[in-house]
Amino acid sequence: MFEYFLVFLGAAIPWLEIALVIPLGIISGLSPVWVILTAFIGNMLTVLVVIVGFQKVKEWMESRNRKKGKAESKRTERGKRIWNKYGMPGVALLGPIVIGTHIAAFIGLLFGANKTNATVWMSISIALWSLVFGIATALGFDLFTRNF
């Protein structure tokens, strides 16, 4: 049970997320179904926190940048390029493998997606990538262990 809590916690932490936690959980011998489900819930809950708390963070960032006279960061510029090309579906679907789910949700909201749209697309993306990472790891690990 403690191992699944670690999967949950790892998936909730930005930069660890599902792309790393799911394969590690499955390779360590945990049930692929429970690892995928636990990681999805852990990642989705913290993404929801980002979506719900977005407005406060945006106001803080804008006031901070106005005071310092700062230009946009390279990450923000990269996010804008992705947004202009693909919109919220693209940012959400590319997020877990390019910039991380938390940053993808934040960028989508920053560039104008509403909270409902961001929540729906991030849910789809996290579910899809959880399945992809889980199934690929389970099948690959099973194939590897059978042949050696």
Side-chain angles (χ1 to χ4, degrees), residues 51-62:
I51 291 170
V52 169
F54 167 76
Q55 193 58 40
K56 295 233 183 253
V57 174
K58 182 179 178 187
E59 290 168 3
W60 173 77
M61 286 178 61
E62 286 173 349

Side-chain angles (χ1 to χ4, degrees), residues 24-64:
L24 287 177
I26 293 170
I27 289 170
S28 70
L30 299 175
S31 164
V33 172
W34 288 109
V35 167
I36 292 168
L37 185 61
T38 305
F40 170 81
I41 293 168
N43 196 239
M44 194 64 218
L45 284 177
T46 54
V47 168
L48 286 173
V49 168
V50 169
I51 291 170
V52 169
F54 167 76
Q55 193 58 40
K56 295 233 183 253
V57 174
K58 182 179 178 187
E59 290 168 3
W60 173 77
M61 286 178 61
E62 286 173 349
S63 69
R64 194 180 112 207

Side-chain angles (χ1 to χ4, degrees), residues 11 18 23 25 37 41 50 55 65 70 75-76 83 86 106 113 122 133 145:
I18 56 177
L37 185 61
I41 293 168
V50 169
Q55 193 58 40
N65 286 341
K70 266 190 165 179
R75 250 189 214 160
T76 303
W83 178 261
Y86 303 108
F106 188 81
M122 291 309 299
F133 293 130
T145 54

Side-chain angles (χ1 to χ4, degrees), residues 12-147:
I13 297 172
W15 301 115
L16 287 183
E17 297 190 18
I18 56 177
L20 179 64
V21 173
I22 290 174
L24 287 177
I26 293 170
I27 289 170
S28 70
L30 299 175
S31 164
V33 172
W34 288 109
V35 167
I36 292 168
L37 185 61
T38 305
F40 170 81
I41 293 168
N43 196 239
M44 194 64 218
L45 284 177
T46 54
V47 168
L48 286 173
V49 168
V50 169
I51 291 170
V52 169
F54 167 76
Q55 193 58 40
K56 295 233 183 253
V57 174
K58 182 179 178 187
E59 290 168 3
W60 173 77
M61 286 178 61
E62 286 173 349
S63 69
R64 194 180 112 207
N65 286 341
R66 270 189 301 244
K67 288 178 186 175
K68 291 183 178 180
K70 266 190 165 179
E72 292 182 334
S73 71
K74 290 185 187 227
R75 250 189 214 160
T76 303
E77 289 175 14
R78 182 178 183 196
K80 275 188 180 179
R81 282 195 308 272
I82 293 172
W83 178 261
N84 289 332
K85 192 169 185 179
Y86 303 108
M88 188 64 215
V91 169
L93 293 171
L94 291 173
I97 56 172
V98 176
I99 55 178
T101 56
H102 300 85
I103 293 173
F106 188 81
I107 286 173
L109 292 165
L110 189 64
F111 297 144
N114 64 46
K115 290 180 180 185
T116 303
N117 193 19
T119 302
V120 168
W121 278 107
M122 291 309 299
S123 298
I124 292 168
S125 173
I126 293 169
L128 175 71
W129 283 109
S130 293
L131 288 171
V132 167
F133 293 130
I135 292 169
T137 303
L139 291 176
F141 190 65
D142 186 49
L143 181 67
F144 179 78
T145 54
R146 264 195 260 153
N147 290 329

